[in-house]
Amino acid sequence: MNEPLKGETMIEVSHLNKRYGHLRAVNDVSFQVRKGEIVGFLGPNGAGKSTVLKIMTCFLPPTSGTVRIGGLDVGDHPLEVRKKFGYLPESAPLYLDMTAYDYLKYVGSLRGLSGKKLEQRTQQVAGSVGITKVLGQVTGTLSKGYRQRVCLAQALIHDPEFLILDEPTVGLDPNQVVEIRSLIKELGKDRTVILSTHILPEVLATCDRIIIIHKGRIVADGTARELERKVASSATVIVRFKKTDTAGSQADLKARLEAVLSAASAEGTVTPRSTPDADEWEFKVSVSGEKDLRPAILQAFARESWPLLEVRRDVLDIEGLFRTLTQE
């Protein structure tokens, strides 16, 4: 089989449905994931997220619809599909009385590896996830971060084309979170990764694309910026100034920003915001539609007496976006 080209569709879910009696857990779900993508798969509890993932990995049959993994239908080729996946569950699946080395060799043998190939893969994945120095240590004595890395190594031991990671950074300290994020992004360069998490900022830091499911349906699919544009009614710019003796009052500055809005033929509002620095003024400028007001603000205040410290688009509030898309 030829190596798939980067960007080629590797996961194709089409009109997927799953019923439990009268309950429709998954309702006409369709999406595609390309090779080399890291996709965040989000949804509130009971949204159908876990059911979709279980169907994709052959743990559950669908009621109707199709799932093709690497060109293989999960219903027709379940064993072949399972070989293509690596899975990191939320609760680290470790035998706490085994060394990390013995555990990885055991999992590798279950995956069909043996002899020199098994030894090579054990050493390779240990190096790739940074656990070489603890291979001889009993897993029950490892820190949370190292346990998570060992579990990630077991998901990689058979060199899978696809990775499903369920809450991979839960319980880790900030340094460990950064390390695991970097590792996931590195793994995503030549694999297809689906990241299921409830830590919403994690998605912005790690994923190329976001899929949100609610009540069994896909309610959003796109990049963070695309989703923001979908739900936002205005484009927001944050403007920050330094207070000086020669500058006018906050009200004067607010009026000047409103004049910039008017000159740009843009409908919007200017709202003062509190800042931790008493020597600064900050304003939130919201413009109806997607018009970017930053160039007009910079041009206007280049000739003014107010020292302009910052003009930036307001960052995406992923939690607000999630609530908007999944609210009742």
Side-chain angles (χ1 to χ4, degrees), residues 6 22 50 81 98 116-117 134 137 207 233 237 245 247 259-260 264 267 274 306 327:
K6 190 174 180 67
H22 296 294
S50 295
V81 168
M98 296 177 72
K116 184 177 293 186
K117 179 64 175 177
V134 299
Q137 195 168 329
C207 298
S233 59
V237 175
D245 295 335
V260 174
E267 294 185 4
S274 60
W306 289 289
Q327 64 188 356

Side-chain angles (χ1 to χ4, degrees), residues 105-120:
K105 292 198 72 173
Y106 172 65
V107 174
S109 67
L110 295 178
R111 286 292 193 174
L113 302 177
S114 61
K116 184 177 293 186
K117 179 64 175 177
L118 176 56
E119 178 63 29
Q120 288 175 345

Side-chain angles (χ1 to χ4, degrees), residues 245-309:
D245 295 335
T246 58
S249 66
Q250 185 182 44
D252 294 333
L253 189 50
K254 180 176 181 289
R256 184 69 185 90
L257 285 168
E258 289 170 341
V260 174
L261 274 173
S262 178
S265 301
E267 294 185 4
T269 59
V270 179
T271 308
R273 294 176 21 140
S274 60
T275 66
D277 193 331
D279 295 327
E280 296 178 1
W281 277 322
E282 185 172 298
F283 297 86
K284 177 180 178 180
V285 183
S286 298
V287 184
S288 298
E290 297 184 7
K291 188 167 186 176
D292 188 351
L293 206 65
R294 288 175 297 177
I297 293 173
L298 288 169
Q299 185 176 10
F301 285 93
R303 301 184 298 272
E304 298 287 352
S305 59
W306 289 289
L308 185 58
L309 298 178

Side-chain angles (χ1 to χ4, degrees), residues 148-149 168-169 172 176-184:
Q148 202 77 337
R149 286 172 178 266
T169 61
L172 303 184
Q176 293 168 338
V177 168
V178 171
E179 292 171 358
I180 294 295
R181 283 177 183 172
S182 298
L183 182 54
I184 292 171

